[in-house]
């Protein structure tokens, strides 16, 4: 933290700031320039959070408070000295040199749909199956998901295909039920700053796929991850899924620059969801190739045996019959970015066989 | 819902869309223009939500889907035929002709602080006391509020001053404890789309102050209110508290145009929180006058007996000694906007007495 | 400028940064903390601009570059030691204690329309007449204004009413023609960063009303003003006219917090345009009262004798017959904010007479 | 254009809207639904622009005006019946199956720098040389470019290498000088809606690289292109260069979804500038691969023989010695997206030779 004093700040105003910083447990280093005095407040992230809470912006004589150190610790690249976190989810690896394709329907609708999607996904060499039983919907009149019924269908698909399951949790009270089937718990964009929920999945210790909020900064995403990590759960994947901008030609703007930057700032794997940003399958392939070429550690994408009949978000789902070809292209793009993967090899083999 | 077909759409593509709409329970009215065909899908909000879920944007031949009717019903001005909702909270009215000033500390810190704030607020003729026991914080290392301990202090302040209490709920599991003291439950900006929490306070039947999300549209705010109303709880206030923009000179951009527009769209009272948008008390008075002059039904503002010592958000709190004068000016601005209030009269009396 | 080095920066990397700063003509003060070294680069705004151009963010060992001093000088409040600029435009004052209402049609359409508007505006006690002869339009197929023909009509209205004229300049090559009639040249939002145009009106020495760009920060607005001031023209008014946000219920989001903040940062008068932000006259009155109550030095608003027949932006124009009443209310709100004005008195008189 | 009437609209209000539409030269088709009447206004883009100018939003009984047809014509994909525009710039092709790499320094600084960059760019198989002689700068105190002196250096580099030159025009009065050297005129992001400048380069007939404004929508970008096309100049490239978002970890957010969507909406080639969005060379390679994989028709990128000494934007320039390798990787990504190019082959040959 660096406190920039006003040009007109008096000695006693400077002294008052120094004392507040020291009472908060950090050390203050004033540095008097020709025109302004700048006070460095040195501490660890906890002390920094305390100093930030002091509201020094409002103190007499203070012009501005400028954060210097990152406000997260466990999520930072420094915390693991530059080594990348590799998650191992029932044998499927994500992060480091491992690229993972996660696919499945947006929403669990029927037994046939889930089982068919799961087979498609498995055959194309994807690493995991996604599918939602609890759906956050802007409208209370829209379909809210099958709930526990949906979880059971996911469990059956998992048993049949052996694919680990990624599914969303919206309410801490549903955690026990979700834990029965989920290999990875997804926290949706709207819940990125639902702090009690983050702490809960932190305590549960299960791998978490944490989606970036619609208007969240990368620092806020990393602070949300920190809530999970702080509870002792280091198994977190970050997910870019598009941010809100002024553009109305697509549902959200996929921010692929987040991929190399999150990998610079943090050791956690970075996954991209092109389906929700695009909102239309015509864009999903192009954006998947772009995400993989940008160095993403994984892609989570929607696929449906019959998208025109989907209950929810059908227009953005890839059709099953195009999925194997798609998977090969995505893995080729990942290889271009230097992410070498077992799945890529498997995908290539499958393509050769086809 | 209006489905605009592409210029190149075939008759069978048009027919397929008509059939999907009718299978969803709505009625389809195709209207063939010279260059494009437009299909109207007519239904109530439930059927509209169903049609919206069909994902017709992805159907062959479809160019765009344009919503026509508002997706909310209970929150709409039409629902009450233009009559405004007036909440009566233990004798304090908000909405219609009634302007309410809600004030108190950001966070409950100590017994002395809460009781002193409550007295200040009462003496200045404010209608209710605000104060947070559970605090959503971006950093897991920051002070998270006193929790149940804080609720007890609020209860004591309420007993002493007779002021109704407004306090935040973050976790549905804390509802019973919060209900013991809260006259109004505040749902914070980060939880505006925490749908299980909204449904829970809807079922609880207690008055709710619902804050607009940091990047939420007014329609999304009204849909969030609809989640509460749909559970049978009609006692909701909408709260504009600043939205995220590119401007870094203040914490958030207070969107005062939301005031007249929300009053046009909905029958619910509209309250403004200038403290969190400004982040600095220097701006709070100007923005409070502006909010009242724009026609707000109430203002919720932070006041602290000793802002420089506040644990959280001190810089944005008004100092107690300036509060009575502030309250008079705000009520004068409300009167200018045509909001006549008992509190205004009380404020004027107090001013005369001072 | 403050250069924050990485924790891993070597002594020679620190030294290299110091040398680059000094070669750019500024002085470097390294301050070695426990974990990071921070280098202050001290200079005036020109040297700061040079240091900013060095691109130190890309140097080995540099973590971040943090600006400390404001990048503008002539526009800053400090430049006039806290004294406010008051413009005197043919006897009408704006700034300091002087509130000015500027009104007229969006676009000059016909002789009748301009003359009728001008009479309405004058009768209600407004300070100046606005009207556009050159119109920036998103579509090349839309009406682009009457051009020189429009300027002649404005000249006639000015001669009849004695009101100073505010009109927009879009192309430096039209400057001589515009100067024949304009008492104030308006630079539109889309041209806020048209740097050659800013320099040109700076050299012309005529009063300028500079509108904030649709997504511009206040600092960028002040830097645009600095381009004009630097050419020796101190007669600049800043104008908030609404910024682009995600909200689609209105054309732009009027950022009234800009009013007190611009008055803090700069000595220049701050004017608000509620018409373009609202896009609908229903909102214009509420937002005008709010702007005046927030402390604006003036309001520029659209009025039309017959808005339903307006060629451009009719829905946002106030109807002439409501304007006198509107003017009284706005002046009352300005008085509430402490802006005492001759016009207010005139407005009050007129109201008394009505 | 579709005019949605209010539920309460009377027959005479409906009739009044119909008449206004027909007076504007378009045809009106009212369609009476159960709850609302919707009036279709059918015309070409000129008539649509007229109807849009009517301000029907403000008419009694009107709820909303919804545009149906795109407001641009010459820029639309339909205008060329799905055929893509391929620009041939002195033998270098862009668009359709042709991918072009455009590279060079941000700013022309010295003879040595320009000539060295040009050789680097040529040797790596790039199609064109970029370099700025006129620089739009936020600060009037920052280096504004070498002007005509810089144009002469570009002319020399062009003569030596045979590379076509892309350079920026900021002021219509500089057009004759710029035309002496420029093969492509760049219109910068801040000038995207400088309509007189657009019309001027339209009349000049020279190829134009039109950058998307910092907060512009794709529709606004296409309308800006329409201003150029309308003057009879069909040789326009669209350029995505990053938009402003809340993210502060990079200078702008590169919106790669714009690539497939612009190619859907328009026949014009789409080029991506990763350098200005990233602001740091560490991100440029990843984002270039991503842009090419997303299907861009070209990339315009900054390269400098000695970035640490660059006068402007050094941190985002690729170093010359890495450029050949970069060019090979970018062409491989373009090939993955199905953009087959002569340059790709050349790049591959060079890579083989290395």
């Amino acid at each position: 933290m660096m406190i920039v004093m006003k040009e007109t700040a008096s000695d006693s105003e400077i002294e008052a700031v120094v004392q507040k910083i020291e009472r908060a447990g950090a050390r203050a280093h004033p540095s008097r320039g020709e025109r302004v005095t700048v006070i460095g407040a040195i501490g660890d992230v906890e002390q920094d959070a305390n100093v930030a809470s002091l509201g020094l912006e409002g103190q007499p004589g203070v012009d501005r408070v400028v954060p210097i150190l990152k406000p997260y610790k466990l999520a930072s690249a420094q915390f693991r000295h530059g080594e990348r976190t590799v998650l191992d989810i029932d044998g499927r690896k994500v992060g480091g040199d491992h690229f993972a394709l996660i696919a499945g329907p947006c929403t669990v609708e029927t037994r046939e749909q889930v089982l068919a999607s799961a087979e498609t996904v498995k055959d194309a060499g994807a690493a995991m199956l996604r599918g939602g039983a609890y759906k956050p919907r802007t409208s209370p009149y829209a379909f809210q998901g099958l709930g526990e019924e949906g979880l059971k269908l996911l469990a059956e698909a998992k048993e049949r295909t052996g694919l680990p399951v990624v599914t969303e949790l919206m309410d801490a009270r549903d955690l026990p039920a979700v834990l029965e089937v989920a290999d990875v718990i997804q926290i949706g964009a709207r819940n990125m700053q639902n702090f009690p929920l983050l702490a809960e999945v932190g305590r549960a210790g299960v791998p978490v796929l944490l989606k970036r909020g619609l208007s969240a900064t990368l620092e806020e995403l990393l602070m949300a991850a920190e809530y999970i990590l702080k509870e002792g759960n280091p198994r977190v994947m970050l997910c870019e899924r598009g941010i809100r901008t002024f553009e109305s030609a697509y549902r959200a703007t996929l921010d692929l620059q987040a991929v190399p930057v999150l990998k610079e700032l943090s050791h956690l794997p970075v996954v991209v969801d092109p389906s929700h940003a695009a909102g239309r399958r015509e864009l999903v392939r192009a954006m998947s190739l772009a995400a993989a070429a940008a160095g993403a550690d994984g892609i989570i994408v929607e696929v449906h045996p019959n998208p025109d009949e989907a209950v929810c978000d059908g227009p953005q789902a890839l059709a099953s019959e195009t999925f194997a070809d798609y998977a090969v292209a995505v893995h080729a793009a990942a290889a271009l970015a230097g992410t070498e993967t077992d799945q890529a090899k498997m995908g290539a083999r499958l393509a050769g066989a086809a």
Side-chain angles (χ1 to χ4, degrees), chain A:
Chain A
M1 211 67 52
M2 194 142 290
I3 293 88
V4 183
M5 302 300 292
K6 289 182 179 156
E7 296 192 33
T8 54
S10 69
D11 281 359
S12 66
E13 286 170 348
I14 292 170
E15 185 51 28
V17 170
V18 166
Q19 284 183 15
K20 285 198 92 171
I21 291 168
E22 298 196 332
R23 258 183 286 144
R27 287 205 290 145
H29 287 270
S31 149
R32 283 163 200 270
E34 234 157 314
R35 289 169 58 188
V36 298
T37 292
V38 174
I39 305 169
I42 296 172
D44 56 18
V45 291
E46 286 88 351
Q47 289 161 343
D48 252 38
N50 288 342
V51 173
S53 290
L54 290 174
L56 293 171
E57 305 86 341
Q59 279 285 108
V62 172
D63 182 63
R64 263 185 315 150
V65 175
V66 181
I68 294 298
L69 299 175
K70 308 293 183 211
Y72 44 88
K73 180 170 66 178
L74 309 170
S76 72
Q78 288 74 13
F79 184 71
R80 289 179 48 95
H81 309 288
E83 201 188 328
R84 302 209 56 72
T85 284
V86 180
L87 298 190
D88 183 324
I89 295 154
D90 203 11
R92 279 69 172 186
K93 291 186 175 166
V94 193
D97 295 337
H98 305 273
F99 178 88
L101 183 57
I102 306 170
C106 175
T107 306
V108 174
E109 298 164 13
T110 65
R111 186 165 177 273
E112 293 64 38
Q113 171 237 22
V114 180
L115 298 184
S117 302
E119 293 294 347
T120 298
V121 161
K122 187 191 177 186
D123 291 350
M128 293 178 241
L129 175 67
R130 60 148 293 149
Y134 298 97
K135 301 299 301 174
R137 302 302 297 269
T138 303
S139 168
Y141 305 111
F143 175 59
Q144 313 270 322
L146 290 182
E148 297 206 16
E149 179 68 23
L151 294 176
K152 277 181 207 147
L153 297 176
L154 286 170
E156 188 178 347
K158 176 178 171 173
E159 201 184 289
R160 287 228 186 171
T161 58
L163 290 174
V165 162
V166 182
T167 197
E168 179 159 357
L169 176 72
M170 288 173 65
D171 188 330
R173 296 169 297 186
D174 296 324
L175 182 60
V178 168
L179 279 178
E180 301 239 332
V181 58
D183 297 284
V184 177
I185 287 185
Q186 176 179 313
I187 298 293
R190 287 180 184 78
N191 280 317
M192 192 199 84
Q193 293 196 321
N194 183 336
F195 303 119
L197 190 65
L198 296 175
E200 205 66 63
V201 296
R203 286 187 287 270
V206 65
V208 177
L209 183 122
L210 175 64
K211 290 199 168 181
R212 180 183 184 185
L214 270 81
S215 297
T217 62
L218 299 186
E219 187 167 296
E220 287 168 337
L221 173 59
L222 291 166
M223 290 306 280
E226 191 86 1
Y227 263 94
I228 302 170
L229 298 167
K230 185 165 175 284
E231 299 297 328
N233 180 356
R235 303 169 75 195
V236 176
M237 289 176 262
L238 307 170
C239 180
E240 162 62 29
R241 45 77 71 209
I243 52 173
R244 188 166 272 193
T245 67
F246 305 136
E247 185 51 58
S248 63
Y250 13 93
R251 196 192 291 162
T253 295
L254 198 65
D255 175 10
L256 289 180
Q257 228 162 227
V259 173
V261 173
L262 284 173
K263 288 174 77 175
E264 233 178 43
L265 296 174
S266 176
H267 55 86
L268 298 170
V270 179
V271 169
V272 172
D273 171 356
S275 304
H276 282 88
R280 290 191 291 134
R281 84 179 58 87
E282 289 80 358
L283 308 178
V284 169
R285 185 188 171 104
M287 297 320 289
S288 298
L289 296 185
D297 295 306
I299 285 180
I300 179 164
V301 70
E302 300 191 355
V303 60
H304 194 285
N306 188 356
D308 288 354
E309 301 303 321
V311 169
C312 172
D313 282 343
Q316 75 197 34
L318 297 170
S320 290
E321 64 268 25
T322 65
F323 189 69
D325 177 60
Y326 162 89
V328 172
V330 166
H331 284 115
L336 197 67
T339 317
E340 189 51 77
T341 73
D342 292 343
Q343 281 81 24
K345 287 170 208 149
M346 190 191 310
R349 264 206 316 281
L350 289 162

